[in-house]
Amino acid sequence: MNALARAADLVATVLLLLGCLQCLLGVIGMLRFPDVLSRSHAATKPQTLGMLLVLVGVALRLRHGTDVGTLALIAFFQFLTSPVASHLVARSAYRTGQTGSGGLLRDDLDPQLSDGDGTGERP
């Protein structure tokens, strides 16, 4: 094994550990945060970054074109579906009044969803 392969294996190991730690922190955030919006944030951002770190680590370890292409497709679909699904869950929770929006500093959706009489009541 040459020095370049050993260095790539070491970097892959570090990236795998960092990705797993990032995913673990996201799960802890999902369990600990109080409302849907915070949990949605914890479910999406750290998980997506953690998955990317894991996939790059695995790609550095495998080093074969077919494997790297498959991992690139996994990363693409992860980036495509995870934020969209989280947005839809958060928007659905907002529309049904499940968000606990009393702690929001600014609510940009309230004027859009109000009935137009200035009361700000959701339909």
Side-chain angles (χ1 to χ4, degrees):
M1 193 186 255
N2 60 11
L4 186 60
R6 290 177 67 187
D9 285 344
L10 180 65
V11 170
T13 302
V14 169
L15 288 176
L16 283 169
L17 289 174
L18 286 175
C20 290
L21 179 66
Q22 188 74 21
C23 289
L24 176 68
L25 291 174
V27 169
I28 291 171
M30 280 179 47
L31 294 174
R32 299 286 309 241
F33 286 151
D35 61 344
V36 175
L37 298 179
S38 300
R39 288 181 180 180
S40 173
H41 178 80
T44 305
K45 301 235 180 188
Q47 296 294 340
T48 305
L49 177 62
M51 179 65 75
L52 179 66
L53 290 173
V54 167
L55 291 175
V56 170
V58 170
L60 282 174
R61 181 68 179 111
L62 294 178
R63 296 185 207 98
H64 192 267
T66 307
D67 298 330
V68 172
T70 303
L71 293 171
L73 281 174
I74 292 169
F76 173 73
F77 286 117
Q78 177 75 20
F79 281 128
L80 186 69
T81 58
S82 182
V84 172
S86 176
H87 175 77
L88 290 175
V89 167
R91 190 166 177 100
S92 173
Y94 180 84
R95 285 180 177 263
T96 58
Q98 307 273 329
T99 58
S101 52
L104 293 177
L105 296 177
R106 181 175 163 175
D107 190 0
D108 289 334
L109 284 177
D110 192 29
Q112 295 174 6
L113 296 177
S114 66
D115 58 357
D117 64 354
T119 61
E121 293 182 19
R122 294 184 204 140

